[in-house]
Amino acid sequence: LTLIELRLWTGVTPFQWLLHAIALLLATIFLTLKLTLLPRITFFGVFAPFFVALFLDGYFIFVVIARGMVTDKDQTRIPGLMTIFGSGRVVMMGFFEYFLLAKIDGEYEHNQIQSGYTWTIVFLPIWILLCGLGIQACRMVVVEDAVLELLCCFKAEPIDTTQYAESLRRVMIHDPIFADPDSEANEVAE
């Protein structure tokens, strides 16, 4: 998978991947400090970078969607779908992190079952998130296959790359194979 395909299929931008990677690095450092040098750090302190990353991720999604709604008033369907999938992803990750924090804090910090969450409940948001990502990936594949079928199968002529690129642009898909280098240069110039 390329970074472009990963972004299209999951709806997660490279900035968001970087944000969560930095949060994972900081949380790993905090966990190491808690287990070796500073046992007074709470598990909430260990999980704080994850919650900050989720907050920034949600804010980033809100800004992108608000900008999309303002600039693309005619095309409110795409920003609406991005809002549903992006917000659902942030909410499911937030539930997972909260349930995991409550489970670990109760069982390992206080040596008691503080929360009534089983491990099944803790990982349920991840399963829901994976199902949503699978649906979004299948939706992207179906849209791309439909465009290819319309352009290739119903015509006996070779593919008109400009018409193909225009059809993909309408459904917000970037195909690096048939990309027109002049159109990318124009997009960068704008």
Side-chain angles (χ1 to χ4, degrees):
L1 284 176
T2 65
L3 196 57
I4 293 172
E5 290 173 339
L6 193 63
R7 184 186 62 81
L8 286 174
W9 289 6
T10 62
V12 181
T13 63
F15 174 73
Q16 292 165 323
W17 286 107
L18 178 67
L19 198 66
H20 290 286
I22 291 171
L24 180 64
L25 176 68
L26 289 175
T28 304
I29 291 170
F30 291 159
L31 181 64
T32 305
L33 287 174
K34 177 179 178 43
L35 296 177
T36 57
L37 300 174
L38 301 170
R40 289 187 176 178
I41 297 176
T42 63
F43 277 106
F44 182 78
V46 171
F47 275 75
F50 289 127
F51 290 116
V52 170
L54 271 179
F55 174 76
L56 291 175
D57 193 2
Y59 178 74
F60 178 71
I61 289 171
F62 173 75
V63 167
V64 168
I65 298 307
R67 183 172 176 236
M69 292 290 219
V70 169
T71 59
D72 296 331
K73 292 181 180 177
D74 297 335
Q75 297 178 349
T76 57
R77 188 181 124 252
I78 298 298
L81 288 174
M82 287 173 51
T83 300
I84 290 170
F85 284 115
S87 301
R89 180 177 42 81
V90 169
V91 166
M92 287 299 123
M93 287 298 294
F95 279 141
F96 169 68
E97 289 173 9
Y98 171 74
F99 290 154
L100 187 63
L101 172 64
K103 183 79 169 171
I104 289 175
D105 190 44
E107 289 187 7
Y108 298 110
E109 187 75 21
H110 303 293
N111 293 328
Q112 62 184 359
I113 299 177
Q114 186 174 356
S115 68
Y117 305 128
T118 63
W119 287 107
T120 305
I121 299 297
V122 170
F123 284 99
L124 183 64
I126 295 297
W127 288 108
I128 294 171
L129 178 68
L130 288 175
C131 289
L133 289 176
I135 290 169
Q136 186 173 1
C138 290
R139 182 180 63 87
M140 295 305 294
V141 169
V142 166
V143 167
E144 186 174 336
D145 287 346
V147 170
L148 285 174
E149 184 176 325
L150 284 173
L151 292 175
C152 297
C153 297
F154 294 127
K155 291 183 178 179
E157 306 166 3
I159 296 176
D160 179 14
T161 56
T162 57
Q163 184 181 7
Y164 175 71
E166 179 64 24
S167 299
L168 289 179
R169 188 191 63 73
R170 285 186 190 143
V171 293
M172 307 285 289
I173 296 176
H174 174 72
D175 188 356
I177 296 173
F178 290 105
D180 184 18
D182 295 333
S183 67
E184 289 180 10
N186 292 338
E187 289 175 9
V188 172
E190 293 175 351

